[in-house]
Amino acid sequence: GGVIVNDESTCDVDPQRFILLSTGYCRTTKTFLALILGVPIVSIEWLTACEQSGTFLPPTGYLVRIPGRSSREPSQSGKYLMQEWTLGVEGNASFVKSWSTICRAAGATVIDGGITTLHTGRILVQKLPSASSRMSRLASEKGVVVITVDWLIDLIICPFNIMIYLG
């Protein structure tokens, strides 16, 4: 039998011993953690097939399609995706909690307190602030790079397909 894991902050998982059951691709903390940690994301049909066969079946034939990803196979590179990043997360409490967990799972050092406590590195935001906002001013003064959730999601889904402007 299996055990349902409800605590999303559990990032130390063996991808060979976990799966994520899903009705399809959705932008949730559990989905992004699974993508980062290399945990297979399988359709509910996998559970039905296992029940009918009386054994755990390989998840390969039941993997959920992830838009933007060429393969349904789980990637093993996500745990190191943000290694050596120092990052703050700016937003409401739920956003900060979820994305701090995701970024830590990807190897980032997450600094609590958002832009006000960050001295260098990156700040993750839900959407780009206006050029005249306090956030933009502080980021510019501190040399902090502002990244959006959509940019980070693209990086998680397809880590080798991001174009970066360097100058």
Side-chain angles (χ1 to χ4, degrees):
V3 177
I4 296 174
V5 178
N6 290 317
D7 184 7
E8 295 166 351
S9 65
T10 306
C11 295
D12 189 25
V13 301
D14 175 359
Q16 302 301 315
R17 299 185 50 88
F18 280 81
I19 59 158
L20 176 62
L21 283 175
S22 181
T23 56
Y25 171 74
C26 49
R27 294 169 51 137
T28 66
T29 302
K30 288 180 183 176
T31 298
F32 295 125
L33 285 173
L35 288 169
I36 287 167
L37 298 172
V39 171
I41 303 172
V42 299
S43 66
I44 301 299
E45 287 76 24
W46 176 82
L47 192 59
T48 304
C50 290
E51 183 180 48
Q52 289 172 349
S53 71
T55 186
F56 283 114
L57 298 171
T60 311
Y62 301 92
L63 295 172
V64 169
R65 184 179 142 358
I66 307 298
R69 190 171 259 200
S70 58
S71 169
R72 291 183 186 209
E73 291 297 319
S75 168
Q76 297 299 317
S77 63
K79 288 191 267 187
Y80 309 105
L81 195 60
M82 297 169 71
Q83 191 172 3
E84 299 183 24
W85 283 28
T86 300
L87 174 85
V89 181
E90 190 78 38
N92 64 42
S94 173
F95 177 82
V96 169
K97 180 181 181 211
S98 293
W99 283 99
S100 293
T101 299
I102 292 166
C103 293
R104 282 186 182 104
T109 299
V110 179
I111 305 298
D112 294 330
I115 190 75
T116 57
T117 58
L118 199 60
H119 300 291
T120 185
R122 297 163 180 87
I123 187 77
L124 178 65
V125 296
Q126 288 176 291
K127 61 181 183 170
L128 278 178
S130 69
S132 61
S133 72
R134 177 180 170 270
M135 165 77 72
S136 292
R137 192 177 65 256
L138 283 171
S140 178
E141 289 170 4
K142 294 179 175 206
V144 171
V145 176
V146 178
I147 59 174
T148 65
V149 166
D150 289 332
W151 183 88
L152 188 55
I153 289 170
D154 287 345
L155 181 66
I156 292 167
I157 290 174
C158 196
F160 306 108
N161 202 21
I162 298 292
M163 184 181 300
I164 300 174
Y165 174 69
L166 298 174

